[in-house]
Amino acid sequence: MRLIAFADAAGGTRIGLIEPETGSVLDLQAAAPALPWDMASFIAHGAVGLTAAREAAEQARPEARRALEDVTPLPPIPLPPRNILCVGKNYAAHAGEFSGSAGSLSGVAGGLPEHPIVFTKAATAVIGPGDAIPAYLDDTGTTDYEGELAVVIGPGGRGIRAAEAWDHVYGFTIVNDVTSRELQKRHGQWFLGKSLDGFCPMGPELVTTDEIADIDAVRVTTTVNGEKRQDGRLVDLIFAIPTLIETLSRAMTLVPGDVIATGTPEGVGVGFTPPRYLRAGDEVAVHVSGIGTLRNPVA
């Protein structure tokens, strides 16, 4: 199932079920008013909510559907239940290009971590597809891109074993872990440089796990103004998704709607000589096979 969040005429948020065969979007609140109106609550309904959505699609009146091009998507989870959980240096090639630059960590042998490096981005950084990345808020002029696959947690829990991790995954979306490299370096930690308002584009869709046949075959590609900068496969992750879930849930209780950004491939702007940071007028597009493309201009 492919889900989006979108704004209604009154400025509220609704959930849409994308119907690729017809090119339309089913307004779930119009078709099934008893279903939750916000995505985090809908995710918490789990399989029951998905079954109800399928039944609503079968019985919906024509007026409950809209043409896909007539709907402007919001981030799939416009207000995540808490900060975005992120993983640093999770592709070997990216860890190598990062050694000695902004964000490098002392004590990480050979630039490769022995355990997942976890940080967070403020939930207030989330913006939607097509929204402008406000690089003007970064007065250091070092705004960079990081295209990533994001995992969305369904059933929560603590102490989840890697062998059971997929039972706790609801689906996937795309995030761009936009970063001020100078702030990341200046403060000796990553939170401030990654949490400026608007520095977490997300979307355009939330795709449930049954839509992705082989997660290892998924590719993450980022272009800037049409030029390919990043191209990585999920099979190349240093720490696979089940390991990330096990690691996180060993320390905290995961909750429905948690978003885990799994790491970015080689090719970020800071890795070039000289660095190639984002500038006003640029467009960044992050494509994840099987999910879609997240496009954002830079302001």
Side-chain angles (χ1 to χ4, degrees):
M1 188 171 290
R2 310 181 77 89
L3 302 164
I4 61 169
F6 65 96
D8 60 21
T13 301
R14 291 175 177 253
I15 300 169
L17 170 61
I18 296 176
E19 300 174 316
E21 63 279 2
T22 62
S24 61
V25 176
L26 175 67
D27 181 343
L28 285 180
Q29 277 63 55
L35 285 173
W37 287 44
D38 69 281
M39 192 71 79
S41 297
F42 183 78
I43 291 169
H45 270 56
V48 173
L50 293 174
T51 298
R54 292 187 183 97
E55 292 174 350
E58 293 173 356
Q59 303 169 10
R61 300 184 304 275
E63 55 266 30
R65 289 182 166 86
R66 307 186 188 188
L68 183 57
E69 60 269 20
D70 293 339
V71 174
T72 301
L74 300 170
I77 307 177
L79 186 61
R82 56 183 169 190
N83 285 2
I84 310 302
L85 302 167
C86 304
V87 182
K89 291 190 172 184
N90 204 20
Y91 288 81
H94 173 60
E97 71 175 348
F98 227 5
S99 295
S101 66
S104 62
L105 294 178
S106 60
V108 178
L112 296 182
E114 296 179 5
H115 305 282
I117 299 170
V118 179
F119 60 95
T120 71
K121 291 174 77 77
T124 49
V126 173
I127 58 174
D131 291 340
I133 297 168
Y136 60 83
L137 294 178
D138 175 17
D139 60 10
T140 73
T142 60
T143 300
D144 206 350
Y145 54 86
E146 294 191 11
E148 308 192 19
L149 171 85
V151 172
V152 179
I153 293 295
R158 191 176 189 279
I160 300 167
R161 295 183 299 176
E164 301 167 346
W166 287 114
D167 295 335
H168 295 263
V169 176
Y170 189 86
F172 309 98
T173 190
I174 304 170
V175 299
N176 186 349
D177 178 18
V178 180
T179 305
S180 167
R181 297 299 183 196
E182 178 58 31
L183 291 180
Q184 183 182 19
K185 182 178 181 180
R186 178 187 300 172
H187 293 279
Q189 46 71 43
W190 297 355
F191 180 71
L192 291 179
K194 290 175 173 287
S195 292
L196 283 76
D197 290 349
F199 272 37
C200 189
M202 179 190 298
E205 302 176 12
L206 168 55
V207 176
T208 54
T209 54
D210 57 295
E211 295 279 338
I212 306 296
D214 181 4
I215 189 65
D216 286 342
V218 169
R219 300 191 77 96
V220 179
T221 306
T222 303
T223 62
V224 179
N225 302 327
E227 176 193 4
K228 184 185 291 187
R229 299 279 185 89
Q230 296 183 284
D231 188 4
R233 302 176 304 160
L234 266 290
V235 72
D236 295 327
L237 289 177
I238 298 171
F239 303 105
I241 290 168
T243 300
L244 299 179
I245 291 173
E246 180 178 69
T247 300
L248 288 164
S249 70
R250 188 181 296 132
M252 69 184 75
T253 300
L254 297 178
V255 300
D258 270 341
V259 178
I260 304 171
T262 57
T264 200
E266 177 185 24
V268 294
V270 74
F272 290 89
T273 304
R276 303 175 70 181
Y277 296 126
L278 297 175
R279 296 289 182 258
D282 288 344
E283 182 189 67
V284 186
V286 183
H287 178 76
V288 178
S289 55
I291 299 177
T293 302
L294 171 64
R295 299 181 185 276
N296 295 90
V298 179

